[in-house]
PDB file of all heavy atoms in Angstrom:
ATOM      1  N   PHE B1196      41.042   0.381  -9.370  1.00  0.00           N
ATOM      2  CA  PHE B1196      39.723   1.006  -9.444  1.00  0.00           C
ATOM      3  C   PHE B1196      39.177   1.268  -8.044  1.00  0.00           C
ATOM      4  O   PHE B1196      39.070   0.357  -7.230  1.00  0.00           O
ATOM      5  CB  PHE B1196      38.780   0.088 -10.212  1.00  0.00           C
ATOM      6  CG  PHE B1196      37.408   0.650 -10.365  1.00  0.00           C
ATOM      7  CD1 PHE B1196      37.202   1.805 -11.090  1.00  0.00           C
ATOM      8  CD2 PHE B1196      36.320   0.028  -9.780  1.00  0.00           C
ATOM      9  CE1 PHE B1196      35.935   2.330 -11.228  1.00  0.00           C
ATOM     10  CE2 PHE B1196      35.054   0.545  -9.914  1.00  0.00           C
ATOM     11  CZ  PHE B1196      34.857   1.697 -10.643  1.00  0.00           C
ATOM     12  N   CYS B1197      38.855   2.548  -7.782  1.00  0.00           N
ATOM     13  CA  CYS B1197      38.465   2.896  -6.422  1.00  0.00           C
ATOM     14  C   CYS B1197      37.180   3.704  -6.368  1.00  0.00           C
ATOM     15  O   CYS B1197      36.860   4.286  -5.344  1.00  0.00           O
ATOM     16  CB  CYS B1197      39.609   3.635  -5.725  1.00  0.00           C
ATOM     17  SG  CYS B1197      40.117   5.135  -6.574  1.00  0.00           S
ATOM     18  N   GLY B1198      36.433   3.747  -7.461  1.00  0.00           N
ATOM     19  CA  GLY B1198      35.150   4.426  -7.414  1.00  0.00           C
ATOM     20  C   GLY B1198      35.015   5.491  -8.474  1.00  0.00           C
ATOM     21  O   GLY B1198      35.755   5.514  -9.458  1.00  0.00           O
ATOM     22  N   LEU B1199      34.069   6.399  -8.233  1.00  0.00           N
ATOM     23  CA  LEU B1199      33.685   7.364  -9.268  1.00  0.00           C
ATOM     24  C   LEU B1199      34.873   8.135  -9.815  1.00  0.00           C
ATOM     25  O   LEU B1199      35.000   8.314 -11.013  1.00  0.00           O
ATOM     26  CB  LEU B1199      32.667   8.354  -8.687  1.00  0.00           C
ATOM     27  CG  LEU B1199      31.213   7.898  -8.643  1.00  0.00           C
ATOM     28  CD1 LEU B1199      30.345   9.028  -8.109  1.00  0.00           C
ATOM     29  CD2 LEU B1199      30.741   7.484 -10.022  1.00  0.00           C
ATOM     30  N   SER B1200      35.725   8.656  -8.941  1.00  0.00           N
ATOM     31  CA  SER B1200      36.804   9.503  -9.420  1.00  0.00           C
ATOM     32  C   SER B1200      38.153   8.794  -9.415  1.00  0.00           C
ATOM     33  O   SER B1200      39.192   9.411  -9.235  1.00  0.00           O
ATOM     34  CB  SER B1200      36.876  10.801  -8.615  1.00  0.00           C
ATOM     35  OG  SER B1200      36.121  11.794  -9.262  1.00  0.00           O
ATOM     36  N   HIS B1201      38.120   7.492  -9.668  1.00  0.00           N
ATOM     37  CA  HIS B1201      39.366   6.744  -9.800  1.00  0.00           C
ATOM     38  C   HIS B1201      40.285   7.439 -10.819  1.00  0.00           C
ATOM     39  O   HIS B1201      41.496   7.543 -10.614  1.00  0.00           O
ATOM     40  CB  HIS B1201      39.045   5.325 -10.233  1.00  0.00           C
ATOM     41  CG  HIS B1201      40.224   4.532 -10.699  1.00  0.00           C
ATOM     42  ND1 HIS B1201      41.356   4.373  -9.939  1.00  0.00           N
ATOM     43  CD2 HIS B1201      40.447   3.850 -11.857  1.00  0.00           C
ATOM     44  CE1 HIS B1201      42.217   3.625 -10.615  1.00  0.00           C
ATOM     45  NE2 HIS B1201      41.705   3.304 -11.772  1.00  0.00           N
ATOM     46  N   ALA B1202      39.686   7.922 -11.901  1.00  0.00           N
ATOM     47  CA  ALA B1202      40.491   8.575 -12.950  1.00  0.00           C
ATOM     48  C   ALA B1202      41.072   9.898 -12.461  1.00  0.00           C
ATOM     49  O   ALA B1202      42.024  10.417 -13.052  1.00  0.00           O
ATOM     50  CB  ALA B1202      39.642   8.816 -14.194  1.00  0.00           C
ATOM     51  N   ASN B1203      40.474  10.443 -11.405  1.00  0.00           N
ATOM     52  CA  ASN B1203      40.902  11.765 -10.929  1.00  0.00           C
ATOM     53  C   ASN B1203      41.745  11.659  -9.668  1.00  0.00           C
ATOM     54  O   ASN B1203      41.760  12.569  -8.852  1.00  0.00           O
ATOM     55  CB  ASN B1203      39.676  12.640 -10.655  1.00  0.00           C
ATOM     56  CG  ASN B1203      38.853  12.831 -11.907  1.00  0.00           C
ATOM     57  OD1 ASN B1203      39.412  12.956 -12.989  1.00  0.00           O
ATOM     58  ND2 ASN B1203      37.540  12.846 -11.755  1.00  0.00           N
ATOM     59  N   MET B1204      42.394  10.551  -9.493  1.00  0.00           N
ATOM     60  CA  MET B1204      43.213  10.374  -8.293  1.00  0.00           C
ATOM     61  C   MET B1204      44.680  10.320  -8.724  1.00  0.00           C
ATOM     62  O   MET B1204      45.309   9.291  -8.732  1.00  0.00           O
ATOM     63  CB  MET B1204      42.797   9.090  -7.567  1.00  0.00           C
ATOM     64  CG  MET B1204      43.428   8.968  -6.195  1.00  0.00           C
ATOM     65  SD  MET B1204      42.707   7.612  -5.281  1.00  0.00           S
ATOM     66  CE  MET B1204      43.915   7.434  -3.986  1.00  0.00           C
ATOM     67  N   ARG B1205      45.168  11.498  -9.100  1.00  0.00           N
ATOM     68  CA  ARG B1205      46.535  11.555  -9.621  1.00  0.00           C
ATOM     69  C   ARG B1205      47.436  12.220  -8.588  1.00  0.00           C
ATOM     70  O   ARG B1205      46.965  12.770  -7.600  1.00  0.00           O
ATOM     71  CB  ARG B1205      46.552  12.357 -10.924  1.00  0.00           C
ATOM     72  CG  ARG B1205      45.591  11.760 -11.951  1.00  0.00           C
ATOM     73  CD  ARG B1205      45.440  12.649 -13.156  1.00  0.00           C
ATOM     74  NE  ARG B1205      44.174  12.354 -13.819  1.00  0.00           N
ATOM     75  CZ  ARG B1205      43.597  13.159 -14.697  1.00  0.00           C
ATOM     76  NH1 ARG B1205      44.164  14.302 -15.035  1.00  0.00           N
ATOM     77  NH2 ARG B1205      42.448  12.832 -15.246  1.00  0.00           N
ATOM     78  N   PHE B1206      48.714  12.199  -8.826  1.00  0.00           N
ATOM     79  CA  PHE B1206      49.649  12.839  -7.912  1.00  0.00           C
ATOM     80  C   PHE B1206      50.986  12.985  -8.617  1.00  0.00           C
ATOM     81  O   PHE B1206      51.137  12.560  -9.765  1.00  0.00           O
ATOM     82  CB  PHE B1206      49.804  12.035  -6.613  1.00  0.00           C
ATOM     83  CG  PHE B1206      50.418  10.670  -6.793  1.00  0.00           C
ATOM     84  CD1 PHE B1206      51.764  10.453  -6.507  1.00  0.00           C
ATOM     85  CD2 PHE B1206      49.656   9.604  -7.241  1.00  0.00           C
ATOM     86  CE1 PHE B1206      52.335   9.188  -6.673  1.00  0.00           C
ATOM     87  CE2 PHE B1206      50.220   8.347  -7.402  1.00  0.00           C
ATOM     88  CZ  PHE B1206      51.551   8.135  -7.121  1.00  0.00           C
ATOM     89  N   ALA B1207      51.928  13.622  -7.935  1.00  0.00           N
ATOM     90  CA  ALA B1207      53.266  13.757  -8.508  1.00  0.00           C
ATOM     91  C   ALA B1207      54.296  13.497  -7.424  1.00  0.00           C
ATOM     92  O   ALA B1207      54.076  13.805  -6.251  1.00  0.00           O
ATOM     93  CB  ALA B1207      53.475  15.142  -9.091  1.00  0.00           C
ATOM     94  N   VAL B1208      55.400  12.891  -7.840  1.00  0.00           N
ATOM     95  CA  VAL B1208      56.554  12.787  -6.958  1.00  0.00           C
ATOM     96  C   VAL B1208      57.553  13.827  -7.448  1.00  0.00           C
ATOM     97  O   VAL B1208      57.963  13.804  -8.610  1.00  0.00           O
ATOM     98  CB  VAL B1208      57.159  11.384  -6.993  1.00  0.00           C
ATOM     99  CG1 VAL B1208      58.456  11.350  -6.195  1.00  0.00           C
ATOM    100  CG2 VAL B1208      56.168  10.367  -6.448  1.00  0.00           C
ATOM    101  N   VAL B1209      57.889  14.764  -6.566  1.00  0.00           N
ATOM    102  CA  VAL B1209      58.823  15.826  -6.957  1.00  0.00           C
ATOM    103  C   VAL B1209      60.172  15.521  -6.325  1.00  0.00           C
ATOM    104  O   VAL B1209      60.292  15.482  -5.101  1.00  0.00           O
ATOM    105  CB  VAL B1209      58.316  17.197  -6.499  1.00  0.00           C
ATOM    106  CG1 VAL B1209      59.261  18.295  -6.977  1.00  0.00           C
ATOM    107  CG2 VAL B1209      56.907  17.445  -7.029  1.00  0.00           C
ATOM    108  N   ALA B1210      61.160  15.270  -7.178  1.00  0.00           N
ATOM    109  CA  ALA B1210      62.497  14.949  -6.665  1.00  0.00           C
ATOM    110  C   ALA B1210      63.357  16.213  -6.684  1.00  0.00           C
ATOM    111  O   ALA B1210      63.387  16.933  -7.678  1.00  0.00           O
ATOM    112  CB  ALA B1210      63.129  13.855  -7.510  1.00  0.00           C
ATOM    113  N   LEU B1211      64.029  16.484  -5.563  1.00  0.00           N
ATOM    114  CA  LEU B1211      64.906  17.644  -5.448  1.00  0.00           C
ATOM    115  C   LEU B1211      66.311  17.162  -5.094  1.00  0.00           C
ATOM    116  O   LEU B1211      66.473  16.113  -4.468  1.00  0.00           O
ATOM    117  CB  LEU B1211      64.413  18.584  -4.337  1.00  0.00           C
ATOM    118  CG  LEU B1211      62.989  19.115  -4.440  1.00  0.00           C
ATOM    119  CD1 LEU B1211      62.637  19.889  -3.172  1.00  0.00           C
ATOM    120  CD2 LEU B1211      62.833  20.007  -5.656  1.00  0.00           C
ATOM    121  N   GLU B1212      67.296  17.974  -5.478  1.00  0.00           N
ATOM    122  CA  GLU B1212      68.657  17.676  -5.023  1.00  0.00           C
ATOM    123  C   GLU B1212      68.643  17.651  -3.492  1.00  0.00           C
ATOM    124  O   GLU B1212      67.886  18.409  -2.869  1.00  0.00           O
ATOM    125  CB  GLU B1212      69.621  18.786  -5.477  1.00  0.00           C
ATOM    126  CG  GLU B1212      69.750  18.947  -6.979  1.00  0.00           C
ATOM    127  CD  GLU B1212      70.612  17.876  -7.624  1.00  0.00           C
ATOM    128  OE1 GLU B1212      71.063  16.955  -6.898  1.00  0.00           O
ATOM    129  OE2 GLU B1212      70.839  17.937  -8.844  1.00  0.00           O
ATOM    130  N   PRO B1213      69.464  16.797  -2.870  1.00  0.00           N
ATOM    131  CA  PRO B1213      69.385  16.658  -1.406  1.00  0.00           C
ATOM    132  C   PRO B1213      69.417  17.983  -0.652  1.00  0.00           C
ATOM    133  O   PRO B1213      68.625  18.187   0.284  1.00  0.00           O
ATOM    134  CB  PRO B1213      70.613  15.806  -1.082  1.00  0.00           C
ATOM    135  CG  PRO B1213      70.844  15.004  -2.309  1.00  0.00           C
ATOM    136  CD  PRO B1213      70.422  15.861  -3.470  1.00  0.00           C
ATOM    137  N   ALA B1214      70.256  18.913  -1.072  1.00  0.00           N
ATOM    138  CA  ALA B1214      70.333  20.192  -0.355  1.00  0.00           C
ATOM    139  C   ALA B1214      69.016  20.944  -0.472  1.00  0.00           C
ATOM    140  O   ALA B1214      68.487  21.480   0.505  1.00  0.00           O
ATOM    141  CB  ALA B1214      71.488  21.024  -0.898  1.00  0.00           C
TER     142      ALA B1214
END
Side-chain angles (χ1 to χ4, degrees):
Chain B
F1196 181 64
C1197 58
L1199 278 183
S1200 267
H1201 167 54
N1203 300 323
M1204 190 170 165
R1205 303 171 203 163
F1206 65 100
V1208 173
V1209 183
L1211 303 173
E1212 298 284 3

